[in-house]
Amino acid sequence: MSDSNLVSTSSDTEVATSEQFSDPGVPEHKLRLGDTDPKAAKRSERIVIALFGLSILGTIGMMAAYFGLPQDTSIAGVRIQNLTLGLGLGFALLGIGLGAIHWAKSLMSDHEVVEERHSVESSPEARAEAIQKLQDGVADAGVARRGVLKGAAISAVALFPLSFAVPLIGEIGADWNISKFRHTVWRRGVRLATDPTNRPIKASEVTIGSAYHVIPYAEDIDEEVRPGSHAWLDEKAKAIVLMVRMEPNELKEEDDRKDWSYEGIVAYSKVCTHVGCPVALYERQTHHLLCPCHQSTFDMADGAKVVFGPAKRPLPQLPITVDSEGYLVAQSDFTEPVGPSFWERLK
Amino acid sequence: MKALAARRHHRFAPVVLIMLALLVTGAVYAALAPSSAQAEDAVTTADDIEHGAALFQANCATCHGVDAVGKADAPSLIGVGAAAVHFQVSTGRMPMQSNAPQAPVKPVQFDEKQTMQLAAYIASLAPGPEIPSAEAVDPTLGDPARGAALFSTNCAMCHNAVGAGGALSEGKYAPALWNTTPTQIYEAMITGPQSMPVFNESNITPEEKRDVIAYVVAQRDGTPGGENLGSLGPVSEGLWAWILGIGVLIGAAVWIGAKSS
Amino acid sequence: MTAAPAKTQSSAPTTKAGKAADYLDQRTGIGVAVKEFARKVFPDHWSFMLGEIALYSFIVLILSGIFLTMFFVPSMGLTTYHGPVATMDGTQMSEAFASTLRLSFEVRGGLLMRQIHHWAALIFVAAMVVHMLRIFFTGAFRKPREINWVVGFLLLVLGLLAGFSGYSLPDDVLSGNGLRITDGVVKSIPIIGSYMSYMIFGGEFPGSDIIPRLFTVHVLIVPALILALVAVHLVLVVVHKHTQYPGGGRTDKNVVGFPLFPVYTAKAGGFFFVVFGVLALMGGTLSINNVWNYGPYDPSPVSAGAQPDWYMLFLEGSLRLMPGQTEYVIGGYTLSLNVLVPAAIIPGLLFVFLALYPFIESWVTKDTQPRSVLDRPRNVPTRTGLGVAFITAFVVLVLAGSNDLIATHFHMSINTITWVFRFAFFIAPVLAFWVTKRICLGLQRKDRELVLHGHEHGRIVRTEAGEYFEVHKPLNEQERWLRVNYEAHAPLALDEQPYHEDGTKNRKYRSAKLRSALSRFFYEDRIEPVTLAELEAAHHHEPHEIADGSDESRQQLS
């Protein structure tokens, strides 16, 4: 253990004793070149003038670029415009900044000044007076004597924010119908179509090793939620699907899902069960599906189970089959809510 | 010559080599492009198949087997088509150097003619995807806006929004598309090399593929805002903000705080 | 200046400026303020300008932001774009995205302002962080400045909020996926998560409300709060007067530096133009957030390298590192700890630590004096170590948030990187703490050595007796004062008993025990400054100022 003879160096208790080092005071001021040599000072002055001059040139340059360059909205045109305007503005500003600083550094006085620091707290008298004033005020209002009045005032003030908060909370979540999380526009017979080109897909056209980004075929869903409408984005956010085809013997399937695939074609929700990014990086050789946001990895050959990363649950599977014309169609909606977990997900 | 030998180990040597290789490829491509129809006819002569077979036996058979039916480490090439061969060989992925998570791009080992001969040989074994015509991959004929939508949905998650490349799992990666030729981009889509899935005609039609190519090629015009910083998005932007922005500003602060001499 | 603004009635001003000043003062009494502040002293050090970088980039943000609001349309209404961007021609998009394209390509100088705005945002938060680190490592948060630390902390949080809300405004795929992640995180909150999601998006994600709502947050609520808090921050700096580094003549009762007018007016004013100028050059030459590359928001696409701006990367990294096994179903309700822990609990702990640190340190130090002379970081090894550990944890998370780019650029497996960072998040900060603390203690020992024995001189002298020694040059007064003028706090003793004398439990005991234990953690290892007596003893023992390296006074470690 160290000895406890702390050296008291805190300045507030500073008493010069032989036990202590003494403060040598502010270091001696060193003269700059310009303080003694008028030529150096003149030189500094010229540099400052040149810097302000540069600023003026910058402004002129920017004006010249703005008025001189043709209105060209091609990439190259915008690039040259952006560059010249940026350089002009940059030099206009830097000239002023560097000039002013150089002026301050080389020509203004550099003698250090010492200023006293006063305690922040108010004096005891001021405090006492403040407390007295507050007490006077309280006595004046007579709060202590009028208990019911006090209660009424506090209740009124405490309650009035409700008239602001209630309508706000009531309206801010639209219809507050969170059961929408559970449903998508997929239902029996909706054809699988390519995203974003919206072409229904025939099972026979899907070659092994293919990955299709799939949306519900626009003709097969309600008119008000079709592509082009705003509601479509809300629905698309839940309905996106990734469909791949592999050799049927590579596919591991649970017994109750054997008829959810079609000749090695499987379709899974593309919304990550972690926090909802589109999981889209399909590696054809390993059948792994990787999410680019947080790297959850799902095994498309094995029920889209999680093999790596922060997701817990497999991606929900879309049961598919083919219709009479050979188009791939959904057998039903997803059988569980798609996307990230939420509290009442299983209720 | 001596100077050249000395610079062979320079760290830019691979870059220079790739550039040269690309130039050569480009030149050969340009030479072939205007008369691609005849060129294609020309490569499919029996003579070329024979040459291709010889090249195959000398360079590829060790891994892929003398009949191209594949071995433990190398897949069968029956039915992969001329497009797959042309893609793998013309990008330098094949012959493969070592057993890495995936075949890296490296200096091309065969000239365009030899590549075509190899492709012709493999195509003669069984039908498969063919090398696209020059018209099919001409970016000027494509619609970059439609290409942008397709690229964004089908390609960007692996190759990045503008084709700067990205990571896959376990050390695999989707390469950058800056230097990939339109033909190679088309071939990659129809053959699905390595981890990449296949995008056949029903998924992305030939015309749409050309749109995708038009979009990818349009990215080579650069960005309107100046340096593209690798087009890697917020991470590289943040790095620049810290190193350049904060670096310069702290430098300025040090200058302000320093005593003038 | 031709006339002093403060006027008395007896001397009527004659100059124009004087008359104007007189007019103003008779109506505002500004003379008092000018008298008070014109020559106010500020200490000079580069690290005192870091906060200015943040302030000035904020001003640049306001200026460029005003420009942008003139052209930006904060609406999610759908429109079909026809314009100069060929890759977007004929594409359906929101008004917000279309107006971003218009203001970038068709408004001259619009792209420049947009890029300046975005670079300024990145620099704004970065400068706040660097400024905060300076405050932390030099102990500038100690009494009476604890409240100002909290104000600064709130400014940092608001800065993150400002950045995040602005980043999402163009309604592009990249920021849209960021919002979608936000939605996923919000949904993971127990009980109210789903309703919170509805509250934020006005219904289901993405809805048509989020952009207008974020716009209001971004251009009204957050900037107003930042402005108000910046005002409080600066008023408190004036009230406290600026801290200063230790050195000759600098005490807790004075401030040594240069007057506000003219030196600091020129230096600080000039620095504003430098900051703006650098941002303008960056905006003119380095492209940032090219939203047309990502395209208008659509829930289906996603791009490799899907990351937020750097100041949100730690959250991204934290989400990436968390293993997924930790989602539980309890009584039929889903508890997603795999999202909640990395997105709320870990950042929460980091931020609470930051906000409360001054109070923790003052609690374990029992220091009641106002402190205006800064600590040299080496003289407070535990604090410095904790700071470096904090930075390390943050950096690990940032790197984890960039793991895909690390994988492609260094040819590594993303899975391996993730595993390494999972461990590094716990191990690296501890290691960083230990190493930093050791380095600090080493530097303190080195200081003692220097004070006691002076600088090594390289000159070897042989005495008549045949002894060899190296002549050391003693430190000058200023050098010595810098190294001896600090306080090595000792751990607080445990002054409470578990039971009172009458046998009842002492309620204060547990807190006192924790306090004493924490205090020991902070101050058990310490190096005392050299005392005058020690220095005299050293001189006495070594008349020739020989460094024998085995001086017993070096052993000050408890």
Side-chain angles (χ1 to χ4, degrees), chain C residues 131-255:
Chain C
H131 173 57
M132 204 166 187
L133 291 177
R134 199 279 295 167
I135 303 285
F136 183 89
F137 285 116
T138 59
F141 52 77
R142 290 171 301 166
K143 189 183 171 185
R145 298 183 177 78
E146 302 98 320
I147 293 175
N148 220 11
W149 167 272
V150 176
V151 172
F153 167 79
L154 293 176
L155 279 169
L156 178 67
V157 174
L158 285 171
L160 298 185
L161 203 59
F164 184 75
S165 55
Y167 166 81
S168 302
L169 286 182
D171 201 18
D172 57 308
V173 165
L174 184 64
S175 70
N177 277 314
L179 282 177
R180 185 148 209 190
I181 293 170
T182 312
D183 177 54
V185 169
V186 168
K187 278 180 179 161
S188 78
I189 300 170
I191 304 167
I192 55 166
S194 308
Y195 296 97
M196 293 278 288
S197 163
Y198 257 57
M199 189 186 96
I200 292 170
F201 294 97
E204 272 194 291
F205 173 88
S208 50
D209 291 335
I210 186 68
I211 296 296
R213 285 180 184 181
L214 284 176
F215 184 72
T216 306
V217 168
H218 184 71
V219 306
L220 178 73
I221 301 175
V222 172
L225 288 173
I226 290 181
L227 272 176
L229 285 181
V230 163
V232 174
H233 206 60
L234 295 181
V235 164
L236 282 175
V237 170
V238 171
V239 168
H240 297 140
K241 294 190 174 158
H242 208 286
T243 51
Q244 55 193 345
Y245 279 99
R250 279 131 173 105
T251 72
D252 285 324
K253 300 232 155 153
N254 71 7
V255 51

Side-chain angles (χ1 to χ4, degrees), chain C residues 12-155:
Chain C
T14 49
T15 62
K16 256 187 183 170
K19 281 178 183 158
D22 183 49
Y23 180 90
L24 204 61
D25 188 50
Q26 287 194 34
R27 281 151 189 86
T28 62
I30 196 167
V32 180
V34 173
K35 183 196 77 164
E36 196 64 33
F37 295 116
R39 299 288 280 180
K40 210 170 162 50
V41 169
F42 277 93
D44 207 19
H45 194 271
W46 66 266
S47 70
F48 296 161
M49 318 219 65
L50 299 173
E52 281 178 39
I53 302 180
L55 177 64
Y56 297 152
S57 16
F58 182 64
I59 296 172
V60 174
L61 282 168
I62 293 179
L63 294 176
S64 52
I66 290 172
F67 188 104
L68 296 177
T69 51
M70 299 295 132
F71 306 101
F72 178 69
V73 182
S75 158
M76 295 176 90
L78 293 170
T79 175
T80 302
Y81 177 79
H82 291 289
V85 188
T87 55
M88 291 291 128
D89 198 39
T91 305
Q92 198 187 41
M93 57 182 65
S94 65
E95 294 273 10
F97 191 87
S99 63
T100 307
L101 293 185
R102 255 198 313 279
L103 77 85
S104 302
F105 284 82
E106 292 165 72
V107 174
R108 274 189 284 177
L111 180 61
L112 178 66
M113 286 300 158
R114 214 184 120 236
Q115 299 203 132
I116 289 177
H117 193 74
H118 205 132
W119 282 119
L122 298 191
I123 300 284
F124 174 51
V125 187
M128 281 198 283
V129 167
V130 180
H131 173 57
M132 204 166 187
L133 291 177
R134 199 279 295 167
I135 303 285
F136 183 89
F137 285 116
T138 59
F141 52 77
R142 290 171 301 166
K143 189 183 171 185
R145 298 183 177 78
E146 302 98 320
I147 293 175
N148 220 11
W149 167 272
V150 176
V151 172
F153 167 79
L154 293 176
L155 279 169

Side-chain angles (χ1 to χ4, degrees), chain A residues 83-96:
Chain A
L83 179 70
T84 46
L85 293 177
L87 289 180
L89 179 61
F91 284 117
L93 294 160
L94 280 177
I96 297 176

Side-chain angles (χ1 to χ4, degrees), chain A residues 29-34 51 74-76 78-80 82-83 97-99 101-102 105-106 110 112 194-197 199 201-202 205-213 236 270 278 280-286 288 290 292 297, chain B residues 101-102 146 149-151 153-159 166-170 172 174 191-205 208 218 220-227 252 254-261:
Chain A
H29 176 245
K30 286 202 187 83
L31 285 177
R32 292 167 297 189
L33 207 55
L51 284 168
S74 71
I75 286 181
V78 174
R79 189 192 297 130
I80 192 78
N82 186 60
L83 179 70
L98 298 178
I101 294 166
H102 193 64
K105 274 171 59 100
S106 62
D110 73 336
E112 284 184 318
T194 53
D195 178 21
T197 37
R199 279 193 301 270
I201 306 159
K202 279 194 165 148
E205 294 168 342
V206 182
T207 40
I208 285 173
S210 284
Y212 281 68
H213 295 263
K236 188 178 184 185
K270 208 170 97 177
L281 282 72
Y282 177 61
E283 297 172 7
R284 181 176 58 81
Q285 289 166 322
T286 54
H288 284 176
L290 174 73
T297 312
Chain B
Q102 73 185 53
R146 224 157 52 120
L150 286 159
F151 191 89
T153 302
N154 290 288
C155 323
M157 62 282 191
C158 301
H159 289 285
L168 303 177
S169 68
E170 308 287 358
K172 295 178 293 255
T191 63
Q194 305 189 42
S195 290
M196 182 165 160
V198 178
F199 295 92
N200 66 16
E201 286 191 17
S202 84
N203 197 350
I204 300 178
T205 64
E208 288 167 353
R220 297 174 190 176
D221 294 345
T223 47
E227 268 304 304
V254 170
W255 173 64
I256 295 171
K259 271 223 171 317
S260 179
S261 54

